[in-house]
Amino acid sequence: MAPPRPTPITDEEGHVFRLLRQLDLAPEASQRSIAEALGVSLGTLNTRLKSAEAAGFIKISERAGPDRRQRFAYVLTPRGAAMKNRLTDRFLARKLAEYEALHAELTGSSSGLVPIKHRTELMQNNLAPIPELYVSYESAQKLKVEAGELVSHDLTPRQICDLELLMNGGFNPLKGFLTEEDYNSVVETMRLADGTLWPMPITLDVSEKFAESLEIGQDIALRDQEGVILGTMTVTDRWVPNKAREAEKVFGADDPAHPAVNYLHNQAGKVYLGGPVTGIQQPVHYDFRGRRDTPNELRALFRKLGWRKVVAFQTRNPLHRAHQELTFRAAKEAQANLLIHPVVGMTKPGDVDHFTRVRCYEAVLDKYPAATTNMSLLNLAMRMAGPREAVWHGLIRANHGCTHFIVGRDHAGPGKNSAGEDFYGPYDAQDLFREYQSEIGVEMVDFKHMVYVQERAQYEPADEIEDRDNVTILNISGTELRRRLQEGLEIPEWFSFPEVVSELRRTRPPRAKQGFTVFFTGLSGSGKSTIANALMVKLMEMGGRPVTLLDGDIVRKNLSSELGFSKEHRDLNIRRIGYVASEITKNGGIAICAPIAPYATTRRAVREDVEQFGAFIEVHVATTLEECERRDRKGLYKLAREGKIKEFTGISDPYDVPENPELRVETENVDVDNCAHQVILKLESMGLIAG
């Protein structure tokens, strides 16, 4: 497929491009020097400078200097830097087209060169530098000052991951967050509006209030969570997306059991912004700094090492012996060097944290031949989108200089849907990748399901064992591995490396030594606080771990005294409780929470926060509304019925009954001690406390 004909650059655009490029290269130069570099008169230069200033591309200010021709300072604005990047791409595309035409005229054949944006041949251009969105260091220092006066958006962790890969070229050919036209095209067809393959919407989601404060064409500063300006963005598009449609097309179903769909509906902002990005500086990572490489840094490394073929192994789990055998075979099959390229951005809730995983990777890295294997960390926010995600991962690895990519069984699958079935078929990702392989620019290496053959003391592909009826085949699933870790059971050496098991046991000790959270939920007056107090006393009597009670009323008084009772404030109160509970759990303690927590989505968010560090036990205190009203010790139901309390749970505001709590407790005609004892028995059955 021949690359699309480039859009011609007009004379005026050519003048703008050369001016912006020159000011970016030599921002301190005198007018005379700039004019000489551009080959124009001082009068023409002044005209172009004024036009560029009027268009918002540069900012001109006076400065003191011995030469009157050097009395002005020029700074590219975020809009100017973005325009320079766009025109650079178009200029290069035009020059390549001119070269291609000349080559064909002189030789009668194509040159074979392919622009990176339009990848149509395997293993093409994998060592050449790719475009980044960063301005020069000198321009960045000035732009940082300019950006300090702009309206700011504080990026979420997911948006920081996306911005980093936009700026460093990992998401090439994207030049910023998708416009509405590109977004709609990606959702429906897996392509940008210009036809370029791109399967995943990369959008800047914001609140309605923030979106309403902006004007189209306005520049905004993009800050990390500590307030550091990472880049700027020119807002060219603002729209309210059809998130249900996005979920159906991108993830295959509008099912909240999918973590990305849940994020889409319950965490992401309601409005999307699109527009070009100008990079000022990379996000700061204090961990594993020597293992983090940009696409161009990896490409430079491959050039230095002489690696012409590189097969990438994507992983979000620790490496075990089966993975090692798989990667050995993949590299041998492709006759390529191996890049272990784990994701350390955002993965699936409940995954092993990336600190532990990287320690595991480093522990087994010396099991690989040093001259043939390298490891680099990818700060990617995964969407767990299965087939589309596999294509996306391939494009990202192509940008990082890889020529081959291992695509696994159920690659980037999120697990079960609401009906208890897998979201995607086991080989859907491989099928879709194979369909677009030539455009992706990397060759797929099929994942082989490796099992251990005891008689031969080696791993073999499960579908290649011809004498399977005469040998003993061993395998340990991820679920079984987690069970063995939780219960402190043996993990055999044929399955994993001792160094990996040691790291996993450090982070995930047996359940009886982990922290955990018991989260009571129910209507006001259901008996949550009473049972929680009884449970706290029983656990303190047992000893061994500190116990903290986070009762709804106590938290309201000490942690959330400024909050009201709107849905937004109630959600915020529960998220605060969840945050404190997750910190207690992380540090090996027991957190007992007893809020009403009426909304299922908020309870799910708290569960995800806690389960990063330990077990979460949801206990539904299932007292009926009639019984709660009969008790009404505080007189709240009476006031709610009279309309004196607005948005009261169970009366004028809904309560989402938990569908699958770990325990459901009936309190009518049952004493408190019995209810608390039911919780104790549940904790014993889960291995969280000794029987």
Side-chain angles (χ1 to χ4, degrees), residues 476 481 484-485 489-493 495-496 501 504-505:
I476 292 181
L481 173 63
R484 289 176 180 239
L485 287 170
L489 301 177
E490 178 195 4
I491 297 173
E493 280 203 35
F495 174 77
S496 191
V501 174
L504 292 175
R505 290 201 191 280

Side-chain angles (χ1 to χ4, degrees), residues 562-577:
E562 85 286 5
L563 298 183
F565 289 88
S566 65
K567 182 182 187 304
E568 180 184 6
H569 278 195
R570 279 185 283 181
D571 276 346
L572 180 55
N573 181 53
I574 301 304
R575 292 305 301 269
R576 287 178 180 178
I577 290 174

Side-chain angles (χ1 to χ4, degrees), residues 87-239:
L87 291 176
T88 297
D89 287 343
R90 289 174 58 190
F91 183 84
L92 290 172
R94 190 191 74 182
K95 288 297 182 184
L96 181 61
E98 291 174 356
Y99 171 78
E100 183 66 32
L102 180 61
H103 192 283
E105 181 182 339
L106 295 175
T107 67
S109 63
S110 170
S111 69
L113 292 175
V114 181
I116 295 173
K117 180 177 178 181
H118 309 291
R119 304 177 186 89
T120 60
E121 296 183 10
L122 296 180
M123 297 172 286
Q124 192 77 32
N125 297 325
N126 69 301
L127 301 182
I130 61 169
E132 297 182 350
L133 302 184
Y134 292 110
V135 295
S136 67
Y137 175 79
E138 292 77 12
S139 294
Q141 301 314 300
K142 295 183 177 181
L143 192 55
K144 196 180 299 183
V145 176
E146 294 290 316
E149 301 175 3
L150 300 177
V151 172
S152 293
H153 171 66
D154 294 330
L155 299 162
T156 64
R158 177 161 130 172
Q159 291 169 350
I160 292 174
C161 290
D162 287 350
L163 179 64
E164 179 172 0
L165 288 168
L166 281 170
M167 295 190 299
N168 69 21
F171 284 172
N172 185 60
L174 302 191
K175 302 305 177 191
F177 291 100
L178 296 186
T179 63
E180 184 175 9
E181 182 184 18
D182 279 331
Y183 163 81
N184 288 329
S185 182
V186 167
V187 167
E188 297 295 332
T189 69
M190 289 186 22
R191 294 183 181 276
L192 301 173
D194 68 0
T196 304
L197 179 66
W198 191 264
M200 197 62 56
I202 306 297
T203 52
L204 188 68
D205 58 277
V206 300
S207 67
E208 292 174 297
K209 182 178 179 181
F210 181 76
E212 289 169 359
S213 71
L214 302 176
E215 296 180 1
I216 297 299
Q218 183 174 346
D219 298 322
I220 61 174
L222 304 175
R223 297 177 182 265
D224 68 12
Q225 295 183 309
E226 295 180 358
V228 176
I229 298 176
L230 303 178
T232 62
M233 171 183 167
T234 302
V235 180
T236 61
D237 294 73
R238 176 181 57 204
W239 74 100

Side-chain angles (χ1 to χ4, degrees), residues 588-618:
I590 300 172
I592 302 174
C593 310
I596 294 173
Y599 308 121
T601 55
T602 313
R603 296 195 299 263
R604 174 174 173 168
V606 172
R607 176 185 290 273
E608 290 177 357
D609 288 345
V610 171
E611 285 186 338
Q612 297 178 65
F613 310 112
F616 180 90
I617 303 90
E618 184 178 43

Side-chain angles (χ1 to χ4, degrees), residues 408-524:
R409 183 182 183 277
D410 192 25
H411 185 97
K416 305 293 184 183
N417 61 20
S418 295
E421 301 171 348
D422 290 337
F423 270 95
Y424 312 115
Y427 302 107
D428 288 355
Q430 293 181 359
D431 292 341
L432 191 68
F433 195 102
R434 192 176 290 109
E435 180 180 345
Y436 292 99
Q437 181 171 265
S438 62
E439 282 190 86
I440 294 169
V442 298
E443 187 173 331
M444 179 175 72
V445 180
D446 293 354
F447 181 99
K448 304 293 193 301
H449 178 49
M450 308 298 295
V451 294
Y452 187 73
V453 180
Q454 188 174 35
E455 284 76 6
R456 291 192 280 270
Q458 65 183 23
Y459 275 92
E460 299 178 14
D463 58 357
E464 296 179 11
I465 303 174
E466 296 181 358
D467 58 345
R468 60 175 52 252
D469 293 334
N470 301 317
V471 296
T472 306
I473 297 174
L474 302 176
N475 189 33
I476 292 181
S477 67
T479 301
E480 173 63 11
L481 173 63
R482 286 190 291 273
R483 185 186 75 84
R484 289 176 180 239
L485 287 170
Q486 289 170 357
E487 298 180 15
L489 301 177
E490 178 195 4
I491 297 173
E493 280 203 35
W494 62 260
F495 174 77
S496 191
F497 303 98
E499 300 92 332
V500 171
V501 174
S502 176
E503 285 293 346
L504 292 175
R505 290 201 191 280
R506 283 176 57 198
T507 306
R508 293 291 177 96
R511 272 198 157 186
K513 296 182 179 179
Q514 289 181 20
F516 62 87
T517 292
V518 180
F519 193 92
F520 290 93
T521 175
L523 296 170
S524 177

